[in-house]
Amino acid sequence: MLVSVTAAFLLGYVFGLGGATLTLVGALLTGLSIWSSVRIRVSPEGGFEASFESFKQEVREDVTSLRSDTKGVVHELTEFKGEIRASILEAISPEVLDDLRRSEKVDQLIERGELEKALELDPGNTIAIEQLIENLVDKGQFQQASELYPELKKSNESGIGYSVYPHLALAFDRNGNVAQAQAILTELEEGIRTDIATGYGYLSRSQQIGWVLHDIQRIAKKVKDPSVAARIRELEASLKDTIDALTKG
């Protein structure tokens, strides 16, 4: 309808002032998504004036302004992060920073399985020592694995080194050192008993004890000496009872 009125008015000025008004209204409604504001003035003599302000132009200006503001915020955040980073590093002495970087390097080497290189940087790293022992035992290099026991015992302050004791017991057993294999298993059991008695420590929780139990059961099939095998069965029963007692109720 609006298109018909507009065409009739433009071609023949058929509808007079009413047609002109309707045409303007039609133009206003048709361009509602284009114009942000419209001003219309009609004179008694039939003349009219109209002005239109583009909505898209305002949107474009708003978007440009928003982009500018966003860039400013990002720039300020970048500077703020830089200030925080600088202030943190300023609070660390060069010696401490070197130690932290060395520790990061050691962790990366352990993750990549480069355990010998990790121990060159940090000879007392318990994680690297126990993983190296486990790798050597899995490869059948029992003598090399058993030779790492003194280093492990010295570095095992947190108690996490006990997790590789089943592998050490197997290494000593396969080397023919039955007495040392028995001593390793006894030391492991005493470590568990001590942590549980004090209420804290690596071996005071059933989850860690369960990991040790799993390794005990895995190496039991590979032990040669009957007395070591019997001691492993005793320790296995003891660990199962301990786990049941901790998780009961």
Side-chain angles (χ1 to χ4, degrees), residues 31-91:
L32 195 59
S33 61
I34 301 175
W35 315 118
S36 62
S37 63
V38 178
R39 294 185 180 87
I40 300 173
R41 188 177 67 175
V42 180
S43 65
E45 291 79 14
F48 67 89
E49 296 179 0
S51 61
F52 304 87
E53 293 184 6
S54 173
F55 177 76
K56 292 183 178 180
Q57 179 64 28
E58 290 186 358
V59 171
R60 188 158 44 246
E61 292 175 355
D62 290 342
V63 170
T64 302
S65 176
L66 179 60
R67 288 177 179 173
S68 177
D69 292 343
T70 302
K71 290 181 179 178
V73 171
V74 171
H75 180 69
E76 291 178 2
L77 288 175
T78 302
E79 290 184 346
F80 181 66
K81 289 180 180 178
E83 291 176 0
I84 293 178
R85 191 179 300 111
S87 64
I88 291 176
L89 293 179
E90 288 174 357

Side-chain angles (χ1 to χ4, degrees), residues 22-221:
L22 187 58
T23 299
L24 289 175
V25 173
L28 173 61
L29 294 175
T30 303
L32 195 59
S33 61
I34 301 175
W35 315 118
S36 62
S37 63
V38 178
R39 294 185 180 87
I40 300 173
R41 188 177 67 175
V42 180
S43 65
E45 291 79 14
F48 67 89
E49 296 179 0
S51 61
F52 304 87
E53 293 184 6
S54 173
F55 177 76
K56 292 183 178 180
Q57 179 64 28
E58 290 186 358
V59 171
R60 188 158 44 246
E61 292 175 355
D62 290 342
V63 170
T64 302
S65 176
L66 179 60
R67 288 177 179 173
S68 177
D69 292 343
T70 302
K71 290 181 179 178
V73 171
V74 171
H75 180 69
E76 291 178 2
L77 288 175
T78 302
E79 290 184 346
F80 181 66
K81 289 180 180 178
E83 291 176 0
I84 293 178
R85 191 179 300 111
S87 64
I88 291 176
L89 293 179
E90 288 174 357
I92 302 176
S93 67
E95 294 79 9
V96 173
L97 184 58
D98 288 341
D99 290 340
L100 291 175
R101 286 172 175 168
R102 183 168 53 253
S103 297
E104 292 289 337
K105 180 65 174 178
V106 170
D107 291 342
Q108 293 172 7
L109 290 171
I110 292 175
E111 288 178 1
R112 294 198 298 265
E114 301 178 35
L115 303 174
E116 290 85 355
K117 291 182 179 180
L119 289 172
E120 289 177 4
L121 292 177
D122 185 7
N125 189 285
T126 308
I127 301 296
I129 295 173
E130 67 174 2
Q131 287 191 14
L132 184 56
I133 291 173
E134 186 172 351
N135 289 347
L136 290 171
V137 171
D138 290 342
K139 294 176 182 178
Q141 299 175 350
F142 302 115
Q143 181 62 38
Q144 295 91 322
S146 60
E147 290 174 354
L148 291 172
Y149 170 62
E151 296 180 32
L152 177 66
K153 188 175 177 64
K154 183 179 179 180
S155 66
N156 191 26
E157 296 179 359
S158 65
I160 192 173
Y162 284 118
S163 61
V164 80
Y165 268 46
H167 291 81
L168 274 174
L170 176 60
F172 283 112
D173 170 80
R174 298 297 289 270
N175 284 334
N177 195 340
V178 175
Q180 188 61 62
Q182 298 267 12
I184 287 289
L185 296 173
T186 300
E187 187 179 343
L188 173 59
E189 189 173 27
E190 287 298 323
I192 296 173
R193 182 178 292 109
T194 299
D195 283 359
I196 291 177
T198 55
Y200 62 89
Y202 180 76
L203 296 174
S204 63
R205 304 296 298 274
S206 63
Q207 185 180 41
Q208 283 84 348
I209 298 173
W211 294 339
V212 173
L213 175 61
H214 177 267
D215 287 341
I216 285 287
Q217 293 171 333
R218 190 157 65 95
I219 63 105
K221 302 175 182 179

